[in-house]
Amino acid sequence: MAQLTISQVARQIRLRPSAIRYYERIGLLPSAKRLSGQRRYDPTVLHRLAIIQRARHLGFTLAEIRQLFFGFRDNARPSHRWRTLAKNKLAELDELMDAIKAVRDVLKKVMTTCRCDTLDQCGIAMLRNMNGDAVASLTKSRRHPEKHPTSLQT
């Protein structure tokens, strides 16, 4: 079977050679054989790199990718491995989406309700609400406190 140089692998998988060397150094790729000091890879390294690339594009960390390859019993089917990691990643994404929605809601309220005349007024309102309200108040005005709520509760 023909051996591939690091440049050939990099070109085929669309990665920089430094990334391939890094994946090898951290153990995601098997150590390459050397021929006259140059790395020579078995063509099957392309398969593993394709998995790494796909997992990275899906948002998996290198630690999660390491778990995909090495965190299961040897006889664990790839479908089981992917299902397990995907379930965890989906839960993580759901939490992140909830947090993003909460921030989005606060920003919308700030855009429509803030009546502060100075940033100091905003800071005062935020400081007042730091201990009680999870969402800081940005709407209280010194000049017309009766017209403005003291909190942007969601």
Side-chain angles (χ1 to χ4, degrees), residues 70 74-75 88 93 134 148:
F70 308 112
D74 289 341
N75 63 349
N88 294 340
L93 290 173
H148 306 291

Side-chain angles (χ1 to χ4, degrees), residues 10 31 60 98:
S31 295
F60 289 97
D98 290 344

